[in-house]
Amino acid sequence: MSTPHTPATPLAVSAAVLVRDGRLLVVSKQAAPGLFYLPGGKPDPGETPEQALHRELHEELGITLRHHRFLAEISATAALEGVPMRMRVYEGETPDTPRPAAELAALRWTDGRDPDLTLAPAVSGQVVPLLRERGLLPG
């Protein structure tokens, strides 16, 4: 159960930036297998953004974050739902090997320049440039 979305309230999303060897983990959903997003999801009622982040990563990828830190809040249109979204992005680290489960179709590691990979606009237009600026992805 996610928090109800109304036109006046942007869709709340918690998302993880997981980078290994200069590559960012992105996932696609079964509803849109050709479009890749940051892993994460919507908070359940009464759940903090951080709790949602941990729950979603465990449900969708079978991973537990060793630690996380807030990186940015991004306002954009949700690619799948087509509604305003406010995405809280957290940099995280895990010793676990992610494996797609729940509603996920696939996962990929990318430097953000793969010609055969379609990233959600918020990821390609805002997250990847921010990660390059902060030195988390190669420039």
Side-chain angles (χ1 to χ4, degrees):
M1 287 288 214
S2 58
T3 305
H5 164 74
T6 65
T9 308
L11 188 64
V13 175
S14 294
V17 164
L18 301 169
V19 177
R20 286 188 185 162
D21 301 320
R23 299 179 74 75
L24 173 67
L25 178 68
V26 291
V27 298
S28 69
K29 296 182 180 180
Q30 292 173 6
L35 185 61
F36 285 78
Y37 309 80
L38 294 178
K42 302 170 199 83
D44 285 341
E47 196 173 45
T48 68
E50 292 84 1
Q51 289 169 331
L53 179 74
H54 286 267
R55 176 185 50 77
E56 289 280 353
L57 293 177
H58 182 72
E59 289 174 3
E60 294 182 350
L61 294 169
I63 64 174
T64 302
L65 290 182
R66 185 180 337 195
H67 78 274
H68 71 272
R69 72 177 180 91
F70 178 75
L71 192 61
E73 185 169 288
I74 292 178
S75 294
T77 298
L80 194 56
E81 295 89 346
V83 299
M85 166 186 73
R86 187 174 58 247
M87 180 169 62
R88 293 183 59 85
V89 180
Y90 298 86
E91 180 186 3
E93 204 175 282
T94 181
D96 304 327
T97 300
R99 291 188 170 73
E103 75 253 17
L104 295 187
L107 65 79
R108 296 250 318 247
W109 294 91
T110 180
D111 63 3
R113 292 191 172 106
D114 298 308
D116 67 330
L117 182 69
T118 303
L119 295 173
V123 177
S124 62
Q126 296 186 57
V127 175
V128 168
L130 174 68
L131 297 179
R132 289 194 201 296
E133 178 185 301
R134 304 243 176 130
L136 296 170
L137 285 181

